Amino acid sequence: MYTENISLKRIKWIDGVKGFLMLIVLVSHSMVLPYIGKYMYAAYMQIFFVLSGYVLKSEISSRDFICKRAKQLLIPYFTYNSALSMIFLFYKKLEWRQWIEGIWGYLYGTSEFWVQETTRGGVGFQFANNATWFLTAMFLSSVLAIPLLKYESSWRVVSYIFISFVLYLLPIRLIWNLDIAWGGAVLIYMGNKLKRTRVTKCERERTGVYFLFILFVYIVLVTFNGDISMPLRIYGNRKVISLLMFFIIGIVGEELCRIIFTKMKGNVLKKFLIYIGQNTITILCTHLFFIHFIRKCAEYVEFNCQYIVSIVGIIFSLINAFILRKIYIIMFTKTDKKIFLYL
């Protein structure tokens, strides 16, 4: 059916945009940015799903596609969460009850069980692993996208959006972010349709006027719609309209990020972003732990400048993620354990 086109040469601008988005993820998880934060964070998660649709290629059966996505997404999910659960068991000296609740939380795969009232208890990530929600959501979104990509029926897309709205009304979050995955599947489908015009024409010149127009549209849409948080199932403050705005803002944001990357001057910066984009899974799964570690060090020495602590945490998490990735490549590339390269 469909698979990621990993056998062909990587599309550099897609890796670059993913790297740019990954930096936004790091910033969003480490510091508060008044005024501009809402605009930085409104589209970055949707764009990841759109870009996933860009690199899909008609090639193998649906079953093989699902198996491949499971290797790419679920192996890191269970490996990193299992490792973090053991680290926190001994590092924080958790009681067995707390630890078991954390294990159940990562098996369920959401940050919180209840949508509005977190004080009611329930499952949730507890091992500095909140960001791994993305892996299960992307996996289920990829599976749900198969009928959309195979049959290309507009009524199916509408039905997925309708299901997303119905699930939005639920007071709880579903296992493995199934309530989010229907919307993720629509974004993957949109990305797959957009690639026909954007991947082959991404290098064409865009005028400064066009960039300013897209930026203006994006700012207006986000200002009108309000805050967006995909993992928390917050699509804005306009109810039904916000769900539609959620998709539109994602597409406009993707175009904006693509223009920003292609217009960047300096090969060093571009190569840096591309390298980050090629290692997003490792960074995604480990950065919260490393940022948490730096914060604890800052507390120990009573250093209270949060922005400096956050910047150091971001740099520290990137360095350690790159080191881990190099270790995986050195240890497993020439062995029969290549499955670990998915980490």
Side-chain angles (χ1 to χ4, degrees), residues 55 67 80 126 164 231 240 245 308 310 313 320:
V55 295
C67 289
Y80 282 113
Q126 297 183 29
S164 294
V240 179
M245 296 289 288
I308 293 178
S310 297
N320 281 278

Side-chain angles (χ1 to χ4, degrees), residues 141-173:
S141 296
S142 300
V143 173
L144 291 172
I146 292 175
L148 298 181
L149 297 167
K150 184 176 181 180
Y151 300 107
E152 299 194 24
S153 172
S154 58
W155 74 265
R156 289 179 185 272
V157 177
V158 173
S159 67
Y160 273 42
I161 295 175
F162 177 75
I163 292 172
S164 294
F165 177 72
V166 172
L167 295 177
Y168 163 75
L169 300 176
L170 291 178
I172 62 172
R173 298 188 179 95

